[in-house]
């Protein structure tokens, strides 16, 4: 990775983004091999946030409509459009002046805390049907945006029927489906992209992070030939100075080679099963663990003070007010033992580097096992 960046720096460190470059062609060609089939045109920027802003602009311009439906339990980025679509409390403080018009929020495919209080499979995937209800009653909907596997908000894996159903609904209503794979892409779920788990092809896929293993900032907004053809005779007002920056593209080419050389997608699937088994055992052992769920090397641990009611330790308001969160106490204790987990609200996310070994997973799980006793002590007695 580092050599590829250095070689590109010597060859062509920068050129204005209007120019075509060899490395741009090379990365685009490599992407055709790994992206869901049919996604074959790419816009390169430098963050997941920008990839989603581009997705919003493309969806609005292409459809001529302006509303975008996202879901409450989601994060899509930190600028006006992507933050407006973010459903979680990070959105609250920019409202109303900092939000864009037409950002709507629908229900989540979150079986453990179902917004309708239903149980899978008897629910009939009401969460997908409600999105159709929204599309029909709103009109003017350009797109639905989802994280196919929700990331920082607890790694929520949808039921198998959900994404195919959402694809069917959006297609039926001429609404674009945008899949935000900033976290879930690049082998994280044991497939190149999370949508591959359900063989769903979105109209737009946004991604970042893993495309360069985060060695250098690069993001991609991928779309179909049909949508990109629109821009053959319409102006594409989406430039950035650092769009398609050669150093970032060289890192992308090298990363794809490394994913293949080290067989990391298969490795993630295999080691993910290993880690999942251990996490399920931790759930059996610790009363504070309400749910564990995941795919590949992408797992969420949801802490609750009461397993029966599924009540959280902390509220969203606690987080915004900077109160100490139970998940942070647990993660802090893990960190004291040299193991880092990211946290948010009542979720602990276990998403290690894809090159992790079984021994390293054992070490991480042992630290979590020890630290979870802190939360167990505050579980409500039955
Ligand atoms: C699902 C998702 N979308 C978008 C973003 C924003 O990406 P970035 O931080 O690169 O702007 C993130 C960041 O974590 C994310 O997890």
């Amino acid at each position: 990775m580092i050599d590829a960046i250095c070689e590109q720096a010597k060859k062509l460190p920068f050129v204005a983004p209007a120019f075509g470059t060899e490395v741009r062609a090379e990365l685009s060609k490599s992407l055709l091999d790994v992206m869901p089939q049919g996604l074959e045109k790419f816009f390169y920027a430098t963050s997941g946030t920008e990839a989603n802003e581009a997705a919003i602009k493309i969806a609005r311009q292409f459809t001529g409509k302006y509303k975008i439906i996202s879901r409450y339990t989601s994060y899509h980025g930190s600028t006006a459009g992507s933050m407006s679509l973010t459903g979680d409390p990070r959105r609250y403080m920019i409202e109303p002046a900092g939000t864009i018009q037409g950002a709507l929020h629908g229900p989540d495919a979150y079986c453990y805390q179902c917004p309708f209080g239903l149980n899978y499979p008897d629910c009939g995937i009401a969460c997908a049907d409600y999105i159709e209800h929204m599309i029909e009653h709103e009109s003017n909907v350009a797109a639905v945006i989802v994280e196919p596997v929700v990331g920082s908000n607890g790694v929520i894996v949808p039921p198998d029927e959900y994404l195919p159903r959402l694809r069917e609904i959006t297609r039926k209503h001429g609404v674009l489906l945008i899949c935000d794979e900033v976290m879930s892409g690049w082998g994280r779920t044991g497939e190149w992209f999370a949508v591959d788990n359900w063989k769903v092809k979105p109209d737009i896929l946004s991604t970042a992070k893993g495309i360069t293993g985060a060695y250098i900032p690069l993001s991609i907004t991928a779309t179909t030939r049909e949508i990109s053809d629109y821009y053959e005779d319409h102006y594409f007002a989406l430039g950035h100075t650092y769009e398609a920056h050669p150093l970032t593209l060289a890192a992308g080419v090298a990363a794809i080679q490394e994913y293949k050389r080290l067989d990391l997608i298969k490795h993630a699937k295999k080691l993910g099963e290993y880690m999942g088994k251990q996490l399920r055992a931790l759930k059996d052992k610790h009363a504070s663990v309400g749910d564990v769920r995941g795919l590949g090397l992408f797992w969420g641990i949801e802490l609750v003070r009461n397993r029966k009611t599924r009540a959280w330790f902390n509220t969203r308001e606690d987080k915004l007010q900077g109160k100490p969160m139970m998940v942070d106490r647990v993660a802090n204790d893990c960190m004291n033992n040299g193991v880092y987990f990211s946290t948010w609200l009542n979720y602990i996310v276990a998403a290690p580097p894809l090159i992790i070994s079984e021994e390293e997973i054992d070490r991480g799980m042992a630290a979590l096992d020890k630290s979870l006793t802190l939360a167990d002590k505050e579980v409500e007695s039955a």
Side-chain angles (χ1 to χ4, degrees):
M1 292 288 302
I2 293 165
D3 288 348
I5 297 166
C6 293
E7 275 161 33
Q8 186 62 45
K10 288 180 204 152
K11 194 170 165 193
L12 179 74
F14 177 77
V15 67
F19 286 84
T21 57
E22 264 175 41
V23 69
R24 190 165 177 166
E26 215 181 325
L27 179 56
S28 301
K29 195 155 165 255
S30 306
L31 287 172
L32 292 178
D33 198 32
V34 299
M35 280 269 166
Q37 244 196 347
L39 294 176
E40 50 190 61
K41 292 288 264 189
F42 311 109
F43 171 71
Y44 300 108
T46 48
S47 69
T49 294
E50 287 164 303
N52 282 331
E53 291 290 344
I56 296 167
K57 282 188 205 162
I58 293 169
R60 285 177 159 181
Q61 214 180 343
F62 177 74
T63 63
K65 302 176 196 164
Y66 77 100
K67 293 183 187 174
I68 316 262
I69 298 174
S70 66
R71 302 175 303 176
Y72 285 107
T73 308
S74 67
Y75 179 72
H76 294 295
S78 61
T79 49
S82 57
M83 186 57 92
S84 304
L85 293 175
T86 291
D88 78 26
R90 283 171 272 194
R91 164 176 48 93
Y92 301 172
M93 56 285 280
I94 67 158
E95 292 180 329
T99 51
I100 61 166
Q101 287 189 352
L104 308 168
H105 298 89
D108 311 292
Y110 185 1
C111 297
Y112 183 66
Q113 306 270 6
C114 174
F116 302 106
L118 298 173
N119 288 311
Y120 175 79
D122 300 339
C123 61
I125 322 294
C127 48
D129 290 345
Y130 193 84
I131 302 271
E132 179 164 38
H133 180 82
M134 290 178 76
I135 294 171
E136 284 170 344
H137 287 73
E138 285 291 342
S139 89
N140 253 311
V141 177
V144 172
I145 181 169
V146 295
E147 295 170 73
V149 172
V150 172
S152 54
N153 280 281
V155 190
I156 302 169
V157 183
D160 283 342
E161 300 88 335
Y162 180 79
L163 278 170
R165 174 86 64 89
L166 202 58
R167 178 65 284 191
E168 210 180 291
I169 291 168
T170 45
R171 192 172 283 129
K172 178 172 146 198
H173 292 280
V175 166
L176 301 188
L177 178 63
I178 304 171
C179 286
D180 175 347
E181 295 240 23
V182 171
M183 261 183 109
S184 62
W186 303 103
R188 179 56 54 205
T189 68
E191 297 285 347
W192 280 100
F193 293 91
V195 288
D196 297 335
N197 288 287
W198 300 280
K199 312 226 168 341
V200 163
K201 193 193 88 181
D203 300 293
I204 301 176
L205 185 151
S206 50
T207 189
K209 297 189 198 280
I211 169 59
T212 64
Y215 275 65
I216 198 164
L218 172 64
S219 67
I220 302 171
T221 310
T223 191
T224 60
R225 173 75 52 182
E226 187 200 348
I227 292 174
S228 69
D229 273 354
Y230 171 86
Y231 292 101
E232 293 299 324
D233 47 16
H234 292 86
Y235 193 73
F236 188 66
L238 267 180
H240 300 274
T241 303
Y242 299 132
E243 174 201 333
H245 192 291
L247 296 189
T248 69
L249 304 181
V253 173
I256 293 174
Q257 282 165 4
E258 287 299 274
Y259 279 114
K260 289 182 176 174
R261 186 179 70 83
L262 299 168
D263 209 5
L264 289 181
I265 314 299
K266 262 204 209 122
H267 185 73
K269 191 171 257 174
K270 184 160 158 253
L271 283 252
E273 279 160 20
Y274 182 78
M275 191 166 82
K277 215 161 128 196
Q278 297 206 36
L279 284 168
R280 289 197 181 102
L282 290 186
K283 181 184 163 193
D284 292 341
K285 184 170 170 191
H286 294 277
S288 59
V289 177
D291 195 26
V292 297
R293 56 217 168 212
L295 260 184
L297 279 170
F298 201 23
W299 285 79
I301 301 114
E302 182 164 343
L303 300 191
V304 290
R305 68 164 71 247
N306 186 323
R307 268 196 182 172
K308 213 159 152 215
T309 61
R310 303 185 179 181
W312 280 356
F313 279 104
N314 294 100
T315 61
R316 294 177 179 84
E317 219 31 59
D318 289 345
K319 178 71 186 170
L320 296 183
Q321 288 174 7
K323 290 194 180 149
M325 307 291 278
M326 179 57 80
V327 286
D328 293 332
R329 285 174 58 195
V330 172
N332 182 53
D333 198 60
C334 287
M335 193 68 172
N336 288 338
N337 287 309
V339 179
Y340 169 72
F341 288 93
S342 76
T343 57
W344 173 244
L345 301 177
N346 292 274
Y347 311 119
I348 296 172
V349 174
L354 302 195
I355 54 168
I356 198 164
S357 65
E358 287 189 358
E359 295 68 38
E360 286 163 328
I361 289 177
D362 291 345
R363 191 171 157 220
M365 295 299 110
L368 189 58
D369 185 15
K370 179 186 157 292
S371 305
L372 281 170
T373 54
L374 286 173
D376 291 345
K377 282 185 200 145
E378 297 195 22
V379 162
E380 283 170 4
S381 48

